[in-house]
Amino acid sequence: MITRRTLLANGAKVAVGTVYYGTLASFLTGCGSSDDDTSETPVVKVLAGGLMVVNPVYCVGCRRCEIACSWSHGTSAVSPSTARIKVDRNLNFGPLGVQANYEDQRGEQGDRTIVPSTCRQCDVCMTVCPQGAIYINEATGARVVDDSLCVGCGYCADKCPQQVITIDSLTRKSLKCDLCEGAPNCAQVCPTGAIKFYTWEDAVAAVEQHEKYLTLI
């Protein structure tokens, strides 16, 4: 087990992850790192350049993140369909659509939350790509598509655990989150704070502030 400060200090040496449904402080408080750790403390991977935090409770479905993502990449039509972050499919009844128990599912018509789904930067797409067209950006930790090698076969999109990779219908290239070189546009334009990206310096400051608050209550 390591402390969260040790985790933060070594953030640039480890891989990638995205936090969903929780606060930054609670996530970092529960972090562990040892492969042989048998406790129930989760073993997590963290971004080399920082930490993406997504909280669906704050999402109002404005979809500014989708437009900002599509606009900033500018390789095809500016449209939510070419965004690397997915909100539209989760608006009403979640990514699976209407289910018999829809009232218990994600979505505005289910549990009243809307989930901004974004890449968690795992290795699945990189592993299944037959062209070797996906590589790791060492500065950010993002798995990035090399358009010169991508043939649009769709293996990465089909196997993506979060189903957030798509194939551009115009360019026939894979579209996935590249973390915008360490300054994600989706987080910058989100008006409610449902999507936030913390550098490790910001993360340390946030946790220290949280600890100060706890001493006052």
Side-chain angles (χ1 to χ4, degrees):
M1 185 70 62
I2 59 173
T3 66
R4 53 185 174 274
R5 284 194 177 83
T6 303
L7 176 67
L8 294 173
N10 290 283
K13 301 178 182 177
V14 291
V16 178
T18 302
V19 185
Y20 277 76
Y21 318 134
T23 65
L24 174 66
S26 64
F27 166 76
L28 294 175
T29 301
C31 287
S33 69
S34 174
D35 290 336
D36 56 3
D37 183 8
T38 57
S39 72
E40 294 183 358
T41 302
V43 176
V44 298
K45 297 179 180 179
V46 294
L47 294 171
L51 182 69
M52 181 83 81
V53 179
V54 179
N55 191 336
V57 173
Y58 295 152
C59 183
V60 295
C62 69
R63 302 173 66 187
R64 292 184 185 182
C65 56
E66 291 180 323
I67 296 300
C69 177
S70 179
W71 180 275
S72 63
H73 286 85
T75 56
S76 187
V78 177
S79 165
S81 65
T82 60
R84 281 70 168 167
I85 186 169
K86 307 298 181 185
V87 176
D88 177 44
R89 67 176 188 182
N90 300 324
L91 280 174
N92 295 319
F93 298 99
L96 299 179
V98 180
Q99 306 291 302
N101 60 335
Y102 76 87
E103 68 275 3
D104 298 323
Q105 304 301 311
R106 287 291 187 182
E108 192 173 38
Q109 302 301 316
D111 65 0
R112 302 298 179 184
T113 63
I114 303 168
V115 184
S117 296
T118 188
C119 176
R120 301 191 190 184
Q121 305 296 347
C122 68
D123 291 332
V124 173
C125 59
M126 189 167 59
T127 301
V128 302
C129 179
Q131 300 297 116
I134 301 176
Y135 65 95
I136 299 176
N137 181 321
E138 296 297 336
T140 64
R143 277 56 176 165
V144 181
V145 177
D146 184 340
D147 285 348
S148 67
L149 297 177
C150 178
V151 296
C153 66
Y155 282 6
C156 58
D158 181 60
K159 300 298 182 181
C160 175
Q162 285 76 50
Q163 295 295 295
V164 291
I165 300 179
T166 55
I167 304 300
D168 192 317
S169 60
L170 296 179
T171 65
R172 300 307 302 169
K173 302 296 183 181
S174 176
L175 303 176
K176 75 170 298 295
C177 176
D178 58 8
L179 291 177
C180 300
E181 297 297 326
N185 285 286
C186 57
Q188 293 184 52
V189 303
C190 181
T192 64
I195 307 168
K196 292 184 178 180
F197 184 81
Y198 294 85
T199 65
W200 286 114
E201 291 77 11
D202 291 338
V204 169
V207 172
E208 290 179 346
Q209 185 64 33
H210 178 71
E211 291 177 335
K212 290 179 181 178
Y213 171 76
L214 290 179
T215 63
L216 299 176
I217 59 175

